[in-house]
Amino acid sequence: MSEFALPLMTDRLTLRGFGAEDVDNLFALYGNPDVVRYLYDDVVERDAIATRLAGYTDTVPVDGQWLSLAMEHDGTFVGQASLCFRSAEHRQAEIGYILHPTANGHGYATEASARMMQLAFEELGVHRVVGRIEARNAASERVLQRLGMRKEAHLIQNEWVKGEWNDEIIYAITEPEWRRAQVSTEQLSS
Ligand SMILES: CC(C)(COP(=O)(O)OP(=O)(O)OC[C@H]1O[C@@H](n2cnc3c(N)ncnc32)[C@H](O)[C@@H]1OP(=O)(O)O)[C@@H](O)C(=O)NCCC(=O)NCCS
């Protein structure tokens, strides 16, 4: 796998590595019950945020590790964009995104994730990117659809999370599909 340079830029966002100064930013996400509702995570105490930060990487991840970047808009923290290497051998990755509660409804999650997919396909040699969501997370499903991903599966009660059975929906896009979609977008805008 190749290396890449940070920050990653999009039209409106800067995607940078997290640092010790981000404790309050991350607590605004993981300390909020509405934000973690459809995540595996329970609400996290502020004291536990530093441990979470220590587990983040902003270099090429190894299998099972999440590359986690802070999203900034005009210097303000608006969320977290992530990419997990599921398997370097099979060149599979997963995207994730969490917005600060004040940053919903602007397209930031979609814009950051599109850049993370570009990183995966163009710089890290990934062949297929998946998005996995709790089936009731409609806003997250719309993000995956806007990214041009295909719905591959709706798994019925496959996970026991926070005291109940959850359904999981899986979306995916392969590198050739992603490249075709880039070409179509370029043709539309020319
Ligand atoms: C899931 C989550 C990231 C979706 O947030 P979001 O604001 O809907 O997603 P985006 O930032 O991509 O914004 C898209 C929305 O902004 C609107 N929008 C406004 N301006 C826009 C612009 N310039 N470009 C694109 N969309 C824009 C879109 O219409 C869309 O709204 P809609 O879905 O009601 O049609 C957010 O709800 C969240 O952080 N949830 C908690 C954590 C979580 O569940 N993460 C996902 C785990 S799988």
Side-chain angles (χ1 to χ4, degrees):
M1 297 288 163
S2 27
E3 293 298 319
F4 60 92
L6 290 178
L8 305 179
M9 305 301 293
T10 73
D11 285 349
R12 297 180 295 171
L13 302 173
T14 300
L15 307 181
R16 60 158 176 85
F18 278 101
E21 69 281 7
D22 286 305
V23 168
D24 286 331
N25 289 334
L26 275 190
F27 185 56
L29 309 185
Y30 291 100
N32 184 324
D34 292 332
V35 175
V36 301
R37 179 169 179 216
Y38 294 126
L39 306 183
Y40 293 122
D41 308 77
D42 282 315
V43 169
V44 173
E45 298 294 326
R46 193 176 183 285
D47 290 351
I49 294 288
T51 310
R52 174 176 286 272
L53 263 172
Y56 282 2
T57 184
D58 57 11
T59 58
V60 178
V62 297
D63 282 12
Q65 196 175 29
W66 285 91
L67 161 67
S68 295
L69 301 178
M71 297 180 207
E72 280 186 357
H73 172 63
D74 284 346
T76 299
F77 176 80
V78 294
Q80 173 179 332
S82 306
L83 183 77
C84 180
F85 258 33
R86 286 292 169 208
S87 163
E89 180 185 1
H90 302 292
R91 294 193 280 141
Q92 306 287 308
E94 176 180 345
I95 53 166
Y97 35 80
I98 304 174
L99 288 180
H100 189 283
T102 59
N104 285 283
H106 298 284
Y108 295 151
T110 305
E111 189 168 317
S113 299
R115 183 67 186 89
M116 295 298 265
M117 277 171 39
Q118 181 186 18
L119 173 78
F121 290 132
E122 290 194 337
E123 294 168 73
L124 302 181
V126 169
H127 178 70
R128 176 172 168 272
V129 172
V130 302
R132 301 188 308 120
I133 60 169
E134 208 281 336
R136 292 169 294 185
N137 197 346
S140 186
E141 184 164 13
R142 288 195 294 277
V143 172
L144 299 178
Q145 290 166 344
R146 276 192 295 273
L147 288 168
M149 300 175 101
R150 277 176 293 100
K151 186 172 178 176
E152 288 194 339
H154 183 140
L155 308 177
I156 308 294
Q157 298 192 358
N158 67 314
E159 290 183 320
W160 177 257
V161 183
K162 299 176 187 172
E164 61 176 349
W165 287 111
N166 281 359
D167 286 9
E168 179 181 24
I169 291 178
I170 300 172
Y171 277 74
I173 187 165
T174 63
E175 192 257 356
E177 290 172 330
W178 179 79
R179 288 204 184 274
R180 280 197 292 278
Q182 306 308 300
V183 171
S184 315
T185 310
E186 281 160 23
Q187 282 167 348
L188 276 176
S189 58
S190 63

